[in-house]
Amino acid sequence: MTSSRFDIAVVGAGPGGLAAVTAAVAAGARVALVDGAGQPGGQYWRHPAGDLDAVADLHHGLRTFRAQVRATDAATTFFGHQVWTIEKVAAGFVVRAVAAGTEVEIAAATLVLAPGAYDRQLPFPGWDLPGVYTAGGAQALLKGNQVLAGRRVVVGGTGPFLLPVASGLAARGAKVAGVFEANSPLGWVRRLPAVLPVAGKLTEGAGYTAALARYRVPYRSRHAIVAAHGTDRVTAVTVARLDRDWRVVAGSQRRVDCDAVAVGWGFTPQLELPLAVGCATRVDVDGSVVVEVDAAQRSSVPGVYVAGEACGVGGAALATVEGAVAGRAAAGEATGRAAGDGGVPRRLAGQRSRLRAFAAAMHHTHPVRDGWREWLTDETLVCRCEEVSAGRLREATDELGATDARSAKLLSRAGMGWCQGRVCGYATACLVAAQCGRPANPGSAAERPVAVPITLGLLSQEPGT
């Protein structure tokens, strides 16, 4: 089925996508909004199905969210539609999405892509045990289903995201046995010029700190979860103190009992759709491959605008500003109105500059150090889907001649499973590069011609297949 033609197709209904819809509708454009979830909000504003007023205490910026949701009334929405690819055509683009096994084609003159990001993961012994979650997974259960990941939870990794995860779990009755931050938050002191102009971030951080104190949650910097233990599910973790390079300090290991673990090492931009249309990329401060955009959020592909984490992981506030810029510019191009393409308003440009500076400071303060590789044993699984261990990856490089993540994938099957490298791609790229003595290229696993699972029957109906 082919829908009617639109001026703009916005893919992604998180903060960036919703802001783009709001700006484009205000500019008079005909807008289609497509998202795989059944309702707006994305991961950041995730709610229980059918109730956008629930779990308010777990969210920030709900006034902005509700205003943006009202703006979607003037757009044509395709919720529950997963975009599996985008085709460039003479008159613009065709977004191909699947819902309940049926394909919908959405034609538009321009695109705003706001696909978001997913948890970056690092393997460690026992991370494949039931009960070990990503930090985002534990929060999604809480926000989307009001379900606790466990009754006694250990939170670890690096980055500010650990704080809302821990405080949210504690607020809903979980005993958070500790938050273990692998880096030192004192790094923020050296970057105060980037922090002070963003007052909202300071207030938010203070609120989380107060919540941890209220629920008596221990917070330990320069500590990490280096192993998980259990038979049929996790029952404890080993926590260790780290040096500056994340090597374990001898004699610092201790065991912490728990029935769930939430681990987060930052986020990986979701690039399947921008890469499918040919957007140029660059390497960001945190080593992630991101889409290169200009001041109007315009990519290297004419008619394609990108907003949010795909341009660099920076949080919901930055995604909202970038989405507003992208929606305004895309509307100007699609409708031919000079007002939409007459430069970025000074207010938005200033907000974006300050928030990008804050994001860069965050990445500098919470990097992933190389020492995590020393936590692994030969038996530690790196690719859980295909059960590829760290030892097998070393064999792929040392004995079979793999020189990068892609050749290691062919020789070991790492990244060939259900997740298609989304879970193990970063770690595989880092481990292979270290073995070969060359810089890692974590973006090598990001290009996937089919962005979401589709049936062979549907694929066989595509022209030229």
Side-chain angles (χ1 to χ4, degrees):
M1 181 184 73
T2 302
S3 70
S4 58
R5 182 174 173 80
F6 297 91
D7 294 321
I8 305 169
V10 177
V11 180
L18 289 176
V21 171
T22 303
V25 165
R30 294 169 300 159
V31 182
L33 173 62
V34 194
D35 193 90
Q39 59 191 21
Q43 299 297 331
Y44 185 74
W45 284 314
R46 180 187 284 267
H47 287 78
D51 190 354
L52 296 183
D53 291 319
V55 297
D57 60 311
L58 301 178
H59 289 286
H60 289 275
L62 284 179
R63 180 180 298 180
T64 298
F65 171 61
R66 288 166 180 152
Q68 291 177 346
V69 170
R70 288 193 296 272
T72 64
D73 292 340
T76 301
T77 57
F78 296 85
F79 291 118
H81 287 68
Q82 293 187 309
V83 178
W84 73 271
T85 194
I86 298 173
E87 179 184 357
K88 289 189 283 187
V89 296
F93 305 89
V94 174
V95 176
R96 298 185 180 276
V98 178
T102 301
E103 185 181 59
V104 174
E105 298 177 2
I106 303 163
T110 60
L111 293 176
V112 176
L113 302 179
Y118 52 89
D119 290 82
R120 174 190 288 163
Q121 300 188 54
L122 298 180
F124 53 86
W127 78 306
D128 53 320
L129 282 169
V132 179
Y133 297 84
T134 64
Q139 191 183 61
L141 278 177
L142 191 62
K143 286 184 174 181
N145 303 91
Q146 302 191 64
V147 171
L148 291 172
R151 301 304 306 179
R152 182 178 172 85
V153 188
V154 177
V155 178
T158 190
F161 183 58
L162 302 181
L163 301 180
V165 172
S167 61
L169 289 168
R172 291 308 171 90
K175 171 63 177 177
V176 179
V179 176
F180 299 97
E181 163 63 59
N183 287 297
S184 172
L186 293 177
W188 285 107
V189 176
R190 296 192 297 272
R191 295 173 175 84
L192 284 179
V195 177
L196 294 177
V198 190
K201 296 291 186 181
L202 293 171
T203 303
E204 186 177 336
Y208 291 136
T209 301
L212 295 184
R214 184 165 62 253
Y215 294 112
R216 298 183 178 180
V217 176
Y219 180 92
R220 301 287 182 269
S221 62
R222 288 275 173 84
H223 282 72
I225 300 165
V226 297
H229 311 286
T231 51
D232 57 345
R233 63 169 296 110
V234 65
T235 57
V237 295
T238 293
V239 173
R241 181 166 177 78
L242 307 179
D243 66 14
R244 292 182 60 87
D245 296 318
W246 285 19
R247 292 185 296 263
V248 172
V249 175
S252 68
Q253 298 95 328
R254 65 186 179 92
R255 194 179 179 99
V256 180
D257 293 334
C258 61
D259 62 2
V261 183
V263 191
W265 306 100
F267 296 93
T268 297
Q270 196 154 330
L271 299 183
E272 291 91 344
L273 297 178
L275 293 178
V277 295
C279 295
T281 59
R282 62 178 178 83
V283 177
D284 204 11
V285 176
D286 64 343
S288 297
V289 174
V290 301
V291 179
E292 190 169 14
V293 294
D294 66 9
Q297 300 296 134
R298 187 184 291 110
S299 76
S300 61
V301 179
V304 178
Y305 298 78
V306 185
E309 314 292 52
C311 304
V313 174
L318 177 57
T320 298
V321 174
E322 291 180 345
V325 172
R328 182 179 185 274
E333 179 176 343
T335 62
R337 296 172 183 164
D341 197 33
V344 180
R346 182 177 299 177
R347 176 182 61 85
L348 291 177
Q351 288 178 343
R352 183 176 58 186
S353 177
R354 290 189 293 274
L355 289 166
R356 283 181 175 174
F358 178 86
M362 175 184 67
H363 294 315
H364 284 300
T365 304
H366 297 278
V368 173
R369 305 287 188 186
D370 292 340
W372 69 268
R373 299 194 300 264
E374 297 183 10
W375 310 345
L376 279 58
T377 66
D378 280 347
E379 293 73 33
T380 303
L381 289 185
V382 176
C383 172
R384 299 189 296 192
C385 298
E386 294 295 314
E387 298 185 345
V388 179
S389 66
R392 279 182 59 193
L393 269 182
R394 294 189 185 102
E395 291 175 4
T397 56
D398 298 347
E399 299 179 19
L400 302 179
T403 57
D404 56 19
R406 191 167 294 276
S407 58
K409 173 182 177 178
L410 296 174
L411 294 170
S412 70
R413 296 193 61 81
M416 285 192 178
W418 278 101
C419 83
Q420 287 293 288
R422 291 174 177 85
V423 173
C424 66
Y426 177 84
T428 298
C430 292
L431 290 170
V432 172
Q435 285 294 111
C436 296
R438 60 180 61 184
N441 178 19
S444 61
E447 191 167 357
R448 304 176 183 94
V450 178
V452 299
I454 59 173
T455 64
L456 287 174
L458 180 61
L459 186 63
S460 68
Q461 298 171 22
E462 294 300 315
T465 301

mmCIF file of all heavy atoms in Angstrom, residues 18-19 21-22 45 61-73:
data_model
loop_
_atom_site.group_PDB
_atom_site.id
_atom_site.type_symbol
_atom_site.label_atom_id
_atom_site.label_comp_id
_atom_site.label_asym_id
_atom_site.label_seq_id
_atom_site.Cartn_x
_atom_site.Cartn_y
_atom_site.Cartn_z
ATOM 1 N N LEU A 18 9.839 14.305 17.480
ATOM 2 C CA LEU A 18 8.665 15.081 17.867
ATOM 3 C C LEU A 18 8.904 16.578 17.703
ATOM 4 O O LEU A 18 8.009 17.319 17.272
ATOM 5 C CB LEU A 18 8.291 14.760 19.319
ATOM 6 C CG LEU A 18 7.707 13.365 19.574
ATOM 7 C CD1 LEU A 18 7.482 13.156 21.064
ATOM 8 C CD2 LEU A 18 6.405 13.154 18.804
ATOM 9 N N ALA A 19 10.107 17.031 18.027
ATOM 10 C CA ALA A 19 10.419 18.450 17.843
ATOM 11 C C ALA A 19 10.413 18.817 16.366
ATOM 12 O O ALA A 19 9.967 19.913 15.987
ATOM 13 C CB ALA A 19 11.782 18.769 18.461
ATOM 14 N N VAL A 21 8.558 17.384 14.012
ATOM 15 C CA VAL A 21 7.151 17.446 13.611
ATOM 16 C C VAL A 21 6.536 18.765 14.051
ATOM 17 O O VAL A 21 5.839 19.436 13.278
ATOM 18 C CB VAL A 21 6.368 16.258 14.210
ATOM 19 C CG1 VAL A 21 4.865 16.437 13.990
ATOM 20 C CG2 VAL A 21 6.827 14.949 13.598
ATOM 21 N N THR A 22 6.784 19.168 15.284
ATOM 22 C CA THR A 22 6.229 20.412 15.816
ATOM 23 C C THR A 22 6.646 21.606 14.966
ATOM 24 O O THR A 22 5.817 22.450 14.607
ATOM 25 C CB THR A 22 6.679 20.611 17.278
ATOM 26 O OG1 THR A 22 6.277 19.480 18.052
ATOM 27 C CG2 THR A 22 6.071 21.868 17.863
ATOM 28 N N TRP A 45 11.005 9.263 26.632
ATOM 29 C CA TRP A 45 9.675 9.474 27.187
ATOM 30 C C TRP A 45 8.836 8.202 27.050
ATOM 31 O O TRP A 45 7.689 8.237 26.639
ATOM 32 C CB TRP A 45 8.993 10.645 26.498
ATOM 33 C CG TRP A 45 9.503 11.978 26.941
ATOM 34 C CD1 TRP A 45 9.726 12.403 28.210
ATOM 35 C CD2 TRP A 45 9.858 13.090 26.102
ATOM 36 N NE1 TRP A 45 10.190 13.693 28.229
ATOM 37 C CE2 TRP A 45 10.285 14.146 26.943
ATOM 38 C CE3 TRP A 45 9.846 13.297 24.722
ATOM 39 C CZ2 TRP A 45 10.688 15.377 26.454
ATOM 40 C CZ3 TRP A 45 10.253 14.523 24.229
ATOM 41 C CH2 TRP A 45 10.675 15.554 25.088
ATOM 42 N N GLY A 61 10.885 17.015 31.601
ATOM 43 C CA GLY A 61 10.431 17.682 30.386
ATOM 44 C C GLY A 61 9.075 17.233 29.880
ATOM 45 O O GLY A 61 8.820 17.282 28.668
ATOM 46 N N LEU A 62 8.172 16.836 30.781
ATOM 47 C CA LEU A 62 6.871 16.352 30.329
ATOM 48 C C LEU A 62 6.018 17.455 29.705
ATOM 49 O O LEU A 62 5.189 17.184 28.838
ATOM 50 C CB LEU A 62 6.120 15.704 31.491
ATOM 51 C CG LEU A 62 6.596 14.300 31.885
ATOM 52 C CD1 LEU A 62 5.786 13.769 33.058
ATOM 53 C CD2 LEU A 62 6.484 13.346 30.702
ATOM 54 N N ARG A 63 6.223 18.689 30.121
ATOM 55 C CA ARG A 63 5.468 19.786 29.501
ATOM 56 C C ARG A 63 5.826 19.900 28.022
ATOM 57 O O ARG A 63 4.949 20.046 27.162
ATOM 58 C CB ARG A 63 5.760 21.104 30.221
ATOM 59 C CG ARG A 63 5.012 22.295 29.641
ATOM 60 C CD ARG A 63 5.329 23.578 30.396
ATOM 61 N NE ARG A 63 4.902 23.477 31.790
ATOM 62 C CZ ARG A 63 5.070 24.461 32.677
ATOM 63 N NH1 ARG A 63 5.665 25.603 32.313
ATOM 64 N NH2 ARG A 63 4.658 24.311 33.925
ATOM 65 N N THR A 64 7.121 19.791 27.727
ATOM 66 C CA THR A 64 7.556 19.809 26.326
ATOM 67 C C THR A 64 6.988 18.616 25.574
ATOM 68 O O THR A 64 6.492 18.754 24.444
ATOM 69 C CB THR A 64 9.093 19.781 26.251
ATOM 70 O OG1 THR A 64 9.612 20.954 26.876
ATOM 71 C CG2 THR A 64 9.569 19.732 24.810
ATOM 72 N N PHE A 65 7.050 17.453 26.178
ATOM 73 C CA PHE A 65 6.538 16.242 25.542
ATOM 74 C C PHE A 65 5.062 16.375 25.199
ATOM 75 O O PHE A 65 4.630 16.067 24.075
ATOM 76 C CB PHE A 65 6.768 15.053 26.473
ATOM 77 C CG PHE A 65 6.109 13.774 26.036
ATOM 78 C CD1 PHE A 65 6.441 13.177 24.837
ATOM 79 C CD2 PHE A 65 5.148 13.172 26.845
ATOM 80 C CE1 PHE A 65 5.837 11.995 24.437
ATOM 81 C CE2 PHE A 65 4.539 11.995 26.463
ATOM 82 C CZ PHE A 65 4.887 11.407 25.257
ATOM 83 N N ARG A 66 4.257 16.835 26.133
ATOM 84 C CA ARG A 66 2.814 16.925 25.891
ATOM 85 C C ARG A 66 2.487 17.958 24.815
ATOM 86 O O ARG A 66 1.578 17.762 24.006
ATOM 87 C CB ARG A 66 2.101 17.231 27.199
ATOM 88 C CG ARG A 66 2.100 16.018 28.140
ATOM 89 C CD ARG A 66 1.719 16.350 29.555
ATOM 90 N NE ARG A 66 1.737 15.133 30.374
ATOM 91 C CZ ARG A 66 1.979 15.110 31.671
ATOM 92 N NH1 ARG A 66 2.236 16.244 32.308
ATOM 93 N NH2 ARG A 66 1.967 13.969 32.340
ATOM 94 N N ALA A 67 3.247 19.054 24.790
ATOM 95 C CA ALA A 67 3.037 20.044 23.728
ATOM 96 C C ALA A 67 3.378 19.453 22.361
ATOM 97 O O ALA A 67 2.675 19.683 21.369
ATOM 98 C CB ALA A 67 3.885 21.288 24.001
ATOM 99 N N GLN A 68 4.439 18.668 22.302
ATOM 100 C CA GLN A 68 4.825 18.055 21.042
ATOM 101 C C GLN A 68 3.832 16.988 20.605
ATOM 102 O O GLN A 68 3.548 16.838 19.411
ATOM 103 C CB GLN A 68 6.229 17.461 21.165
ATOM 104 C CG GLN A 68 7.322 18.510 21.296
ATOM 105 C CD GLN A 68 8.690 17.895 21.493
ATOM 106 O OE1 GLN A 68 8.814 16.717 21.785
ATOM 107 N NE2 GLN A 68 9.733 18.699 21.334
ATOM 108 N N VAL A 69 3.296 16.232 21.553
ATOM 109 C CA VAL A 69 2.286 15.226 21.215
ATOM 110 C C VAL A 69 1.050 15.901 20.619
ATOM 111 O O VAL A 69 0.455 15.401 19.653
ATOM 112 C CB VAL A 69 1.922 14.384 22.448
ATOM 113 C CG1 VAL A 69 0.694 13.512 22.169
ATOM 114 C CG2 VAL A 69 3.099 13.500 22.843
ATOM 115 N N ARG A 70 0.663 17.056 21.178
ATOM 116 C CA ARG A 70 -0.490 17.781 20.619
ATOM 117 C C ARG A 70 -0.218 18.201 19.184
ATOM 118 O O ARG A 70 -1.121 18.201 18.333
ATOM 119 C CB ARG A 70 -0.822 19.004 21.482
ATOM 120 C CG ARG A 70 -1.458 18.650 22.822
ATOM 121 C CD ARG A 70 -2.049 19.888 23.481
ATOM 122 N NE ARG A 70 -1.042 20.878 23.827
ATOM 123 C CZ ARG A 70 -0.379 20.894 24.990
ATOM 124 N NH1 ARG A 70 -0.624 19.958 25.903
ATOM 125 N NH2 ARG A 70 0.508 21.835 25.229
ATOM 126 N N ALA A 71 1.027 18.537 18.877
ATOM 127 C CA ALA A 71 1.368 18.957 17.519
ATOM 128 C C ALA A 71 1.219 17.812 16.523
ATOM 129 O O ALA A 71 0.958 18.037 15.341
ATOM 130 C CB ALA A 71 2.795 19.502 17.478
ATOM 131 N N THR A 72 1.373 16.566 16.987
ATOM 132 C CA THR A 72 1.237 15.430 16.070
ATOM 133 C C THR A 72 -0.195 15.252 15.589
ATOM 134 O O THR A 72 -0.435 14.524 14.619
ATOM 135 C CB THR A 72 1.717 14.117 16.728
ATOM 136 O OG1 THR A 72 0.864 13.797 17.845
ATOM 137 C CG2 THR A 72 3.152 14.235 17.206
ATOM 138 N N ASP A 73 -1.161 15.925 16.226
ATOM 139 C CA ASP A 73 -2.543 15.847 15.750
ATOM 140 C C ASP A 73 -2.682 16.416 14.347
ATOM 141 O O ASP A 73 -3.589 16.029 13.599
ATOM 142 C CB ASP A 73 -3.480 16.602 16.699
ATOM 143 C CG ASP A 73 -3.609 15.927 18.060
ATOM 144 O OD1 ASP A 73 -3.305 14.713 18.145
ATOM 145 O OD2 ASP A 73 -4.002 16.606 19.027
#
